[in-house]
Amino acid sequence: MHISTEAVQIGLDWDSRTGAVTVPIYQTATFRHPGLGQSTGYDYSRSGNPTRQALEEGIARLDGGARGFAYASGMAAITNLLMLFQRGDHLIVTEDLYGGTYRLFEQIFHQYGLEFTYVDTSSLDEVAAALKPNTKALFVESLTNPLLKVADIRALSNLCRERQLLCIVDNTFLTPYLLRPLDLGADITVYSASKYLAGHNDTIAGLVVAKDPQLAERIYFLQNSVGAVLGPQDSWLVIRGMKTLSVRMDRQQENAAALASWLEGHPTVAKVHYPGLAGHAGHDLLKGQARGFGAMIAFEVTDPALVETLLLKTRLISFAESLGGVETLITFPELQTHADIKAEIRARLGINNVLLRLSVGIEDVNDLIADLEQAFAQEEKGEA
């Protein structure tokens, strides 16, 4: 069955008693036992809730994994995964990753004795060179945030398998609709489900899928013990969003390709980072391992003064953090999403004072281009 059909079917057969087409919201903390030593399969919503379970089973099917897990946020999901490790363990990590993940690693888990080395995970050689005797895992973004570098998931998974490391892939930018890392050999996928999966900028959620049943049991123990689970209302919102994942992603990708081409030809745009462009370093690799290129664009303008103009003078495109919703958003990584990364590291990576990030929505692309065009024009007229 095609993944777009699988997504639409999530939760459809959950309530056979009433035949409800959408899974009910089981807004309950606890469940009544039918008898002494007996259970309906649900005891307490931290340990399991039917609405959350429908979501967890749905994302597991979409990703081709043994089991899925839903958390209160993407950061909660990653935090839970880090509890698989212990003091002295070393992880290799994508260097230009989301700033919130970097903050979690460096300001929280570093003090508990975990070690992190940040490398360009689009280079297999750099990953191999970073290996240590105490390396336990690779944490890689399938498309990096914000520079959109492409990781060779199959090659990295093979390297991890040879060294008996866990391969954890943050697949937020591509979703299982475009890329299924577990099919390429990864052990775990993680998502900020607030983004493309929920898709409407109206909920915060995180999802994890484990490929191996034994690993899934370890993750469930941590999920239940720590308790940073997703509530039933938000679980329902993510399910609702996932049902339209394919049609949204198709439209967003189409818009992104047109916008990237338009930006590439603009005289005040110095560089466009979008893997769908033939000149992008990861274009061929992503074309070979994914069904598409996603809908995120990063671009550099020629003058820092243009940054504020584009952030504040666009009328249709909103200046806001986050991404993946139906509305097009623009943000400034240096001061917004990646502010917690040290300035010298940002400068080395290219997260600079002229870099902007676009999350392309489902609006008519001609309206989006016109909005950017009028904002650029205001700077040219000195109206910024």
Side-chain angles (χ1 to χ4, degrees), residues 17 23 30 50 144 231 287 337 344 355:
R17 184 178 66 85
V23 62
T30 190
T144 65
K287 188 175 181 179
T337 55
E344 60 270 23
L355 181 75

Side-chain angles (χ1 to χ4, degrees), residues 5-273:
T5 304
E6 288 273 18
V8 173
Q9 297 291 310
I10 293 174
L12 184 63
D13 296 323
W14 193 262
D15 189 350
S16 58
R17 184 178 66 85
T18 67
V21 175
T22 59
V23 62
I25 300 171
Y26 290 87
Q27 192 65 57
T28 182
T30 190
F31 302 84
R32 188 169 59 185
H33 298 298
L36 186 62
Q38 298 176 18
S39 171
T40 61
Y42 303 97
D43 301 306
Y44 188 57
S45 274
R46 170 170 49 78
S47 302
N49 177 281
T51 314
R52 190 175 84 234
Q53 185 179 341
L55 170 60
E56 292 175 334
E57 290 179 355
I59 189 61
R61 285 197 301 274
L62 296 192
D63 242 338
R67 190 167 179 178
F69 306 90
Y71 298 88
S73 69
M75 287 294 96
I78 295 172
T79 296
N80 221 224
L81 290 178
L82 289 182
M83 291 179 182
L84 291 166
F85 307 102
Q86 56 188 328
R87 178 178 292 275
D89 287 349
H90 172 249
L91 287 79
I92 301 171
V93 182
T94 295
E95 61 180 2
D96 61 313
L97 81 167
Y98 169 52
T101 307
Y102 178 85
R103 177 179 61 224
L104 180 70
F105 290 176
E106 288 300 307
Q107 297 184 33
I108 306 292
F109 277 91
H110 184 74
Q111 68 180 333
Y112 295 121
L114 293 187
E115 301 175 23
F116 304 94
T117 298
Y118 301 89
V119 303
D120 180 357
T121 48
S122 68
S123 168
L124 186 64
D125 290 339
E126 286 198 29
V127 174
L131 289 166
K132 297 181 179 181
N134 60 332
T135 302
K136 301 298 182 183
L138 169 68
F139 185 97
V140 57
E141 292 182 345
S142 53
L143 268 185
T144 65
N145 182 1
L147 296 174
L148 301 167
K149 292 182 179 179
V150 180
D152 188 336
I153 303 300
R154 181 176 283 107
L156 292 171
S157 297
N158 288 338
L159 176 65
C160 287
R161 191 176 303 107
E162 291 168 4
R163 298 296 295 262
Q164 296 184 313
L165 313 177
L166 282 179
C167 182
I168 304 170
V169 180
D170 184 332
N171 195 36
T172 296
F173 276 17
L174 291 173
T175 81
Y177 178 63
L178 298 180
L179 176 70
R180 302 214 316 178
L182 302 185
D183 288 349
L184 301 177
D187 299 296
I188 297 171
T189 50
V190 59
Y191 299 93
S192 174
S194 319
K195 310 305 192 292
Y196 290 104
L197 292 173
H200 292 79
N201 289 320
D202 58 7
T203 189
I204 301 294
L207 295 173
V208 165
V209 179
K211 185 176 184 178
D212 176 71
Q214 289 184 324
L215 177 59
E217 283 298 319
R218 292 173 61 195
I219 294 172
Y220 174 69
F221 174 80
L222 292 170
Q223 183 197 40
N224 184 44
S225 299
V226 174
V229 295
L230 192 63
Q233 175 72 37
D234 288 329
S235 295
W236 186 89
L237 285 170
V238 178
I239 291 171
R240 184 193 65 175
M242 286 168 62
K243 287 175 178 288
T244 61
L245 175 64
S246 62
V247 292
R248 287 186 285 104
M249 288 298 294
D250 285 345
R251 176 61 174 265
Q252 286 169 289
Q253 283 194 109
E254 180 184 342
N255 283 354
L259 270 176
S261 296
W262 180 82
L263 285 166
E264 198 174 37
H266 198 280
T268 57
V269 174
K271 188 172 185 179
V272 178
H273 304 265

